[in-house]
């Protein structure tokens, strides 16, 4: 698994969402929180974006997406 971190413009393009909708999804637990990559810079692991997009395409419910988001964020803490 590649450890590519994508910045916001690329994330929004991959998701097809606006900036405000993206951050609303984060607040509602429907997307992972960003990771700090610098003093004033954040990004998202590409594999997380791909997994959430795949779940959406597969027709998963919001509750199933929230569960996936929790698993992805937990996996971050267990990664070296």
């Amino acid at each position: 698994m590649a450890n590519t971190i994508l910045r916001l413009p690329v994330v929004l393009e991959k998701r097809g969402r606006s900036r405000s909708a993206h951050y609303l999804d984060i607040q509602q637990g429907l997307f992972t929180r960003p990771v700090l990559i610098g003093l004033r810079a954040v990004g998202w692991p590409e594999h997380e974006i791909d997994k959430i997009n795949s779940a959406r395409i597969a027709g998963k419910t919001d509750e199933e997406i929230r569960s996936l988001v929790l698993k992805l964020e937990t996996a971050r803490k267990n990664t070296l």
Side-chain angles (χ1 to χ4, degrees):
M1 169 178 19
N3 290 323
T4 304
I5 296 176
L6 302 178
R7 299 294 305 275
L8 184 61
V10 177
V11 173
L12 297 178
E13 184 177 328
K14 285 187 79 143
R15 295 194 66 211
R17 302 284 278 169
S18 69
R19 179 185 177 99
S20 58
H22 174 72
Y23 281 105
L24 183 61
D25 286 347
I26 293 170
Q27 287 179 347
Q28 294 176 346
L30 297 171
F31 203 80
T32 56
R33 291 173 289 181
V35 295
L36 191 62
I37 58 175
L39 292 176
R40 294 176 43 182
V42 297
W44 286 263
E46 185 172 26
H47 74 276
E48 292 180 3
I49 299 162
D50 293 339
K51 286 183 180 183
I52 294 169
N53 283 346
S54 294
R56 282 280 175 211
I57 292 167
K60 300 294 182 184
T61 66
D62 282 354
E63 283 307 312
E64 291 171 315
I65 300 287
R66 283 185 185 95
S67 176
L68 173 62
V69 167
L70 286 174
K71 289 177 188 174
L72 291 170
E73 289 184 343
T74 300
R76 284 183 187 175
K77 296 174 184 164
N78 297 329
T79 305
L80 210 266

